[in-house]
Amino acid sequence: MIMILILIGIINATYLTYLHSKLAPACLVGQGCQVVLSSWISSVGPIPLAAIGLGTLLVLFFVENFNRRGDLSSKVAECFSLLVLLPSTAVSIIL
């Protein structure tokens, strides 16, 4: 189940990163999506938040994959996941 959620997140973050780089309209309904994609809160410096999320999800995908194959112990996988998620959570809280 966790792998399915991670893959959905990767697809979503990839789509939003693409839209941010093209500044294409993201919504089918309404007019506010391009405003959100081009706002100051949509990026940390030159890096879009969706790209940060994509990187985080890719690391989590590989950690979970190695954990399922038995290459990592559960404790190491948990520590790795926390080390990846804490900075992302901090950025989310600050913004």
Side-chain angles (χ1 to χ4, degrees):
M1 180 65 173
I2 189 74
M3 293 296 277
I4 293 171
L5 292 175
I6 291 173
L7 287 173
I8 290 170
I10 288 172
I11 291 167
N12 185 31
T14 302
Y15 174 68
L16 289 174
T17 302
Y18 169 76
L19 289 178
H20 191 275
S21 67
K22 298 295 182 190
L23 285 178
C27 295
L28 299 175
V29 178
Q31 301 294 327
C33 296
Q34 190 161 351
V35 173
V36 172
L37 283 174
S38 61
S39 72
W40 67 273
I41 203 164
S42 67
S43 60
V44 177
I47 304 170
L49 281 179
I52 294 170
L54 179 60
T56 301
L57 288 165
L58 287 173
V59 170
L60 289 176
F61 176 80
F62 286 116
V63 167
E64 184 65 25
N65 194 26
F66 288 140
N67 187 26
R68 286 177 184 258
R69 289 186 356 194
D71 293 343
L72 289 176
S73 69
S74 294
K75 202 64 155 172
V76 171
E78 287 176 17
C79 290
F80 223 133
S81 296
L82 281 175
L83 285 174
V84 169
L85 288 174
L86 284 175
S88 297
T89 305
V91 167
S92 298
I93 290 171
I94 290 170
L95 293 177

